[in-house]
Amino acid sequence: MNMHRIIGKDIPRTDGRAKATGQAIYADDIKLPGMLYGKLLRSPLPHARILSIDTRKAAAMPGVHCIISGKDIPRVTYGNWRLFPGTQDEYALALDKVRFIGDEVAAVAAVDRETAEAAIEQINVEYEELPGVFDVASSLAKGAPVVHDTSPTNISIDRRIAYGDIEAGFAASDYVREDTFTVHAVSHAYMEPCACVAQSDLDGRITLWTSTQTPYIVQCLLASTLNMRENDIRVIKPVVGGGFGGKMELRPWEFCAAFMSRQTGRPVKFTLTREEELAFGRRRHPMTIRSKVGFKRDGTLVAKDLHIYLDGGAYNAMGPTATFLSGNFGAMLYRYPNYRYLGEHVYTNKPPSSAMRGFGAPQTLFAAETQMNMAAEELGIDPIEIRLKNAMVSGDELPGVATISSCGFVESLKEVRRISGWSRKRKGLKKGRGVGIGCYSFISGGVFNWFNTQYPFSAAEVRAFADGTVHLLSMASDIGQGSDTVLKQILAETLGLQMADVRLTAADTAMTPQADLGTWGSRVTLMAGNAVLDAADKIKKKLAGAVSARFDLNVIFDIEFKDGRVFAAGKPDRGMTFGEAVAFVQKTQRGEPLVARGSYTPRGKGLVSPAFSFGAQVAEVSVDTDTGLIQVEKMWTAHDCGTVLNPMAVEGQLEGSVQMGLGYALSEQFVMNGGKTLNTTFLDYKIPNAADMPPGESVCIETYEPEGPMGAKEAGEGLVSPTAPAIAEAVFHAVGFRCKDLPITPEKVLKGLGKL
């Protein structure tokens, strides 16, 4: 039974009204006096040397105030993996050569957007075109063009995981299967295209308002690329219209806005178009996944050998993280006594791949779960039963990598079997209809300090006032997932206050505590939530001491915080209001404000994550054998996200995951030709809309995560992974067509059925 007043309750998002009424301020809404408008000149070629850049015509145009190219800026490379400087392979503007169509070459700042766009057209760049490589196979071929001289093989990084004896494992297996899967790139398709405004003050300090998931990371990298001190850069995150991993790096327009504002003394704004986002923006890694798995005759897993090539595009971006995590996800969900992984990140002359919702899990788990379904079929075992036989439980280890704490995977499998009517449907559906299953596990933030921060992973400050209110300051970034609401819930519950008693200031590097590594990998609730709890507990300790002293309480009495009061447990008359207690403490401290700082950094949690979520999903589909059209009839989900802090918020995250997984499985794909993206609008890049969404039913399997705030852990991001394998298995169950690459299109179905 939930004894909390706020935790576990449906709390509407605190930013919901502002967004619904149009009062929310996004980066592109910001207008400052004297503001200039920026535009980027992008490469029309996928691979070429820059021989010369002539800006004279553009500079002579009325209204043009500043033009810069690579020769004008500090020669400083950047990238999020600061721990390994060799992985930092980008310049804000290209110096010697361009590496993909859309690579940023120059920037203009002018009095309005139209003038900036016209000026871009007047810049003349002379290129020496070079041969390009547009897929992993051609990039790895002998004699292939080299994308970066520092990586002559075009493999930028590799990551390895190994434990057990892989050869002995396969020798002991009764059934071995080896498959190759290919998965494709997709766009984040966030509603708000990227935008930023930079302003340089008279002392040369810079304030940057930007649509970002990682204000602290942007602050650090921008300072590095401008040769400035970090605290001479202030980064403010306005309301953000979605990110999904696509806004967690320093981007060229942020650098250009800051640099050009310093050059001109005027604010500079950049706003990308949807066409730029789709044609040139970051995207999910395409992968070629070779997986060899060995089983005993009864379905017990014995060994797995996994080799993944990640198509990284032109730059590393967050590829190092995806390369490592893909190997981790390949070892999750089931007990593999013998495991080996090699991941290789490969440069190609395409837009860079980077972090996207799931961070390697959707690709890796599509292969793993599809292969599990294939093995179940050939071994004559029900797909859920083979999973139950091998499912991870609390205490399982990936040696040297991670230990599983709370785990509701077995319960998720059993519950999704029940609510979907799995056993009945697998036997009773007519031809053309099928049900399939896919499962997932996901991280609750990362442990490995790849950004090489010297600060805590997350920090929070709580200021308590005599009027009964508190002010929470956190650099954690709400980008639409609702984390601001959850952090306020945690604080209000802990201090016995109402949501209306909590004011929040977030994601401003000059105002909020350093630091927070940002919003990625489902880290905010666990990490920022723990930092808020730490600060709140320090406030409670001071207030509890004050009440004990004021009422001369025996030391055996606990102090409760409830309904805006602080009092002795069982003796509510021995206490005072929260505000009175704060005032009492301030008097004893001779007026010193009541402020507490909290922080959280995971320690002793392996190399991956402090906690893992788990879940299972069943899809029911119908397939038209004449047209190949696939219709998802219903989705059932059972998932373990620890303690559910806000059921309404969790439900929203799950629905969003299904929508994104649906697009990945069935419709979304880039059409490329020689490195050029051909579909650059939502008319020809098909994301599922509300009418495409199937009905669904979800159940939360509550566990208690000791490392999480109030027992909570990740909810929603990992669930983007099981949709594709569940649909793929359902299609196979319906018509016998087995797909080992995505998306599953009508053409592929008809070809698989021998009708094309």
Side-chain angles (χ1 to χ4, degrees):
M1 183 178 176
N2 181 11
M3 302 302 293
H4 296 301
R5 300 168 304 104
I6 297 174
I7 292 298
K9 304 298 192 294
D10 286 334
I11 305 292
R13 280 175 24 179
T14 54
D15 61 355
R17 180 171 294 186
K19 289 181 175 178
T21 58
Q23 295 181 51
I25 303 299
Y26 297 83
D28 189 48
D29 293 322
I30 296 170
K31 294 179 174 61
L32 301 177
M35 190 170 70
L36 302 175
Y37 293 82
K39 188 70 179 177
L40 292 162
L41 175 66
R42 299 177 179 275
S43 169
L45 301 174
H47 199 197
R49 286 192 179 87
I50 299 173
L51 301 181
S52 65
I53 302 176
D54 186 348
T55 62
R56 288 173 294 178
K57 284 186 178 180
M61 292 178 60
V64 173
H65 284 254
C66 186
I67 302 176
I68 60 172
S69 63
K71 66 180 176 59
D72 301 308
I73 67 175
R75 298 198 167 206
V76 178
T77 56
Y78 65 90
N80 281 17
W81 270 59
R82 293 196 305 178
L83 188 63
F84 299 103
T87 66
Q88 296 184 292
D89 58 2
E90 290 190 69
Y91 291 100
L93 294 172
L95 287 181
D96 55 343
K97 67 176 184 177
V98 292
R99 294 177 172 88
F100 72 99
I101 293 175
D103 212 347
E104 294 83 359
V105 175
V108 170
V111 292
D112 53 42
R113 288 191 177 95
E114 293 75 17
T115 302
E117 290 169 358
I120 284 292
E121 298 295 326
Q122 297 302 312
I123 298 175
N124 182 44
V125 183
E126 184 181 359
Y127 296 100
E128 176 192 345
E129 189 167 3
L130 301 171
V133 285
F134 306 114
D135 56 61
V136 166
S138 59
S139 183
L140 296 178
K142 186 177 180 180
V146 175
V147 181
H148 288 265
D149 293 341
T150 52
S151 299
T153 64
N154 284 331
I155 297 175
S156 68
I157 53 157
D158 62 59
R159 293 288 179 266
R160 300 169 189 267
I161 301 172
Y163 52 83
D165 186 332
I166 195 74
E167 304 303 334
F170 283 119
S173 299
D174 299 317
Y175 168 74
V176 177
R177 68 170 305 115
E178 189 168 2
D179 300 283
T180 298
F181 301 86
T182 58
V183 290
H184 60 307
V186 291
S187 171
H188 302 83
Y190 32 70
M191 288 198 296
E192 176 211 17
C194 292
C196 70
V197 178
Q199 183 173 41
S200 178
D201 65 22
L202 295 178
D203 295 321
R205 296 187 180 92
I206 290 171
T207 299
L208 177 72
W209 295 264
T210 183
S211 179
T212 182
Q213 301 175 226
T214 54
Y216 166 65
I217 287 177
V218 171
Q219 176 196 30
C220 294
L221 296 180
L222 187 56
S224 172
T225 55
L226 291 171
N227 290 325
M228 294 176 66
R229 297 179 300 183
E230 286 180 8
N231 283 310
D232 285 337
I233 304 282
R234 179 183 184 184
V235 176
I236 301 172
K237 179 199 72 67
V239 176
V240 173
F244 310 113
K247 299 177 180 178
M248 65 170 295
E249 305 167 57
L250 176 67
R251 285 77 55 90
W253 48 92
E254 292 167 328
F255 170 89
C256 290
F259 187 88
M260 298 168 92
S261 180
R262 198 168 60 172
Q263 294 290 100
T264 62
R266 297 172 66 168
V268 178
K269 176 192 283 189
F270 279 79
T271 302
L272 269 61
T273 64
R274 181 63 63 186
E275 180 180 4
E276 286 179 294
E277 292 279 11
L278 286 169
F280 316 126
R282 301 306 205 224
R283 47 193 66 183
R284 178 175 284 152
H285 281 88
M287 295 185 190
T288 301
I289 303 169
R290 299 172 184 168
S291 181
K292 181 180 179 182
V293 187
F295 295 81
K296 288 293 188 182
R297 198 166 284 106
D298 66 355
T300 302
L301 280 162
V302 182
K304 182 172 184 177
D305 193 8
L306 184 64
H307 186 184
I308 299 180
Y309 288 112
L310 295 88
D311 185 340
Y315 298 103
N316 272 324
M318 286 302 293
T321 303
T323 305
F324 173 71
L325 285 179
S326 294
N328 171 72
F329 293 130
M332 289 297 294
L333 286 175
Y334 312 108
R335 295 185 295 273
Y336 298 98
N338 308 287
Y339 181 74
R340 181 170 65 189
Y341 166 70
L342 170 61
E344 297 179 277
H345 189 264
V346 182
Y347 286 131
T348 58
N349 293 117
K350 294 189 296 190
S353 303
S354 195
M356 184 174 169
R357 192 174 191 168
F359 237 164
Q363 303 97 312
T364 308
L365 292 179
F366 170 71
E369 289 297 282
T370 299
Q371 201 168 36
M372 185 67 84
N373 288 329
M374 296 162 77
E377 177 204 354
E378 294 201 2
L379 289 169
I381 304 172
D382 180 85
I384 291 182
E385 288 299 326
I386 199 172
R387 287 170 166 84
L388 287 169
K389 178 179 284 289
N390 295 287
M392 277 183 160
V393 296
S394 296
D396 281 345
E397 290 187 43
L398 307 182
V401 178
T403 299
I404 306 305
S405 180
S406 61
C407 178
F409 185 32
V410 168
E411 294 83 354
S412 296
L413 283 164
K414 292 179 178 179
E415 184 63 11
V416 83
R417 178 172 61 185
R418 184 190 70 81
I419 63 176
S420 66
W422 170 269
S423 300
R424 172 178 53 81
K425 283 186 166 64
R426 288 286 289 188
K427 295 176 182 177
L429 290 178
K430 297 178 181 178
K431 186 170 178 59
R433 292 182 75 95
V435 291
I437 187 167
C439 303
Y440 82 95
S441 176
F442 200 67
I443 60 175
S444 296
V447 171
F448 186 55
N449 188 10
W450 43 264
F451 193 65
N452 200 25
T453 180
Q454 305 306 309
Y455 295 105
F457 274 30
S458 196
E461 184 178 294
V462 175
R463 302 172 183 174
F465 299 95
D467 63 0
T469 66
V470 292
H471 189 176
L472 171 61
L473 296 98
S474 169
M475 207 184 291
S477 299
D478 192 323
I479 59 170
Q481 81 277 32
S483 61
D484 282 355
T485 305
V486 167
L487 295 183
K488 290 175 71 174
Q489 281 184 261
I490 291 171
L491 182 58
E493 182 71 53
T494 305
L495 297 181
L497 302 175
Q498 299 298 318
M499 293 286 286
D501 298 328
V502 181
R503 180 177 183 175
L504 174 66
T505 297
D508 179 337
T509 62
M511 298 291 292
T512 56
Q514 288 180 306
D516 185 280
L517 290 176
T519 296
W520 50 268
S522 287
R523 65 184 300 280
V524 178
T525 294
L526 188 141
M527 296 200 183
N530 275 328
V532 170
L533 277 179
D534 186 27
D537 286 342
K538 291 172 181 175
I539 294 287
K540 287 179 69 175
K541 186 175 181 180
K542 289 191 175 184
L543 295 179
V547 169
S548 293
R550 170 69 177 79
F551 291 96
D552 194 24
L553 295 173
N554 190 300
V555 294
I556 67 168
F557 283 106
D558 289 329
I559 303 298
E560 288 192 17
F561 290 73
K562 186 177 180 181
D563 298 329
R565 288 181 54 78
V566 186
F567 56 91
K571 294 185 177 290
D573 59 315
R574 300 289 187 92
M576 58 185 83
T577 68
F578 184 89
E580 289 170 341
V582 172
F584 189 84
V585 170
Q586 287 181 303
K587 287 178 183 178
T588 64
Q589 295 181 163
R590 301 180 63 84
E592 180 181 336
L594 180 52
V595 179
R597 175 81 177 267
S599 64
Y600 175 79
T601 300
R603 295 183 177 88
K605 300 298 173 184
L607 293 177
V608 184
S609 177
F612 296 87
S613 63
F614 294 87
Q617 189 172 76
V618 168
E620 181 177 347
V621 307
S622 60
V623 183
D624 187 319
T625 56
D626 291 325
T627 64
L629 184 66
I630 300 167
Q631 180 69 39
V632 180
E633 302 292 345
K634 191 168 182 179
M635 304 289 289
W636 294 268
T637 303
H639 69 116
D640 157 31
C641 61
T643 301
V644 178
L645 302 184
N646 187 336
M648 179 189 295
V650 170
E651 182 181 8
Q653 286 294 291
L654 299 186
E655 290 178 355
S657 291
V658 170
Q659 186 270 352
M660 191 168 278
L662 201 67
Y664 190 45
L666 297 176
S667 63
E668 293 183 45
Q669 60 182 319
F670 285 112
V671 180
M672 306 288 294
N673 182 22
K676 184 176 183 179
T677 304
L678 301 181
N679 51 334
T680 59
T681 75
F682 284 151
L683 293 175
D684 46 22
Y685 180 90
K686 171 60 178 172
I687 60 172
N689 58 34
D692 298 317
M693 286 289 288
E697 182 179 346
S698 63
V699 176
C700 293
I701 306 296
E702 285 216 26
T703 59
Y704 186 88
E705 172 50 53
E707 193 67 18
M710 300 175 174
K713 55 185 177 181
E714 187 272 338
E717 182 172 0
L719 191 62
V720 76
S721 304
T723 303
I727 291 173
E729 172 65 8
V731 169
F732 173 74
H733 185 223
V735 295
F737 164 64
R738 177 77 69 185
C739 191
K740 293 199 288 185
D741 64 320
L742 293 176
I744 310 170
T745 62
E747 291 78 12
K748 289 178 185 176
V749 172
L750 292 176
K751 187 175 181 180
L753 295 176
K755 295 189 175 184
L756 272 185

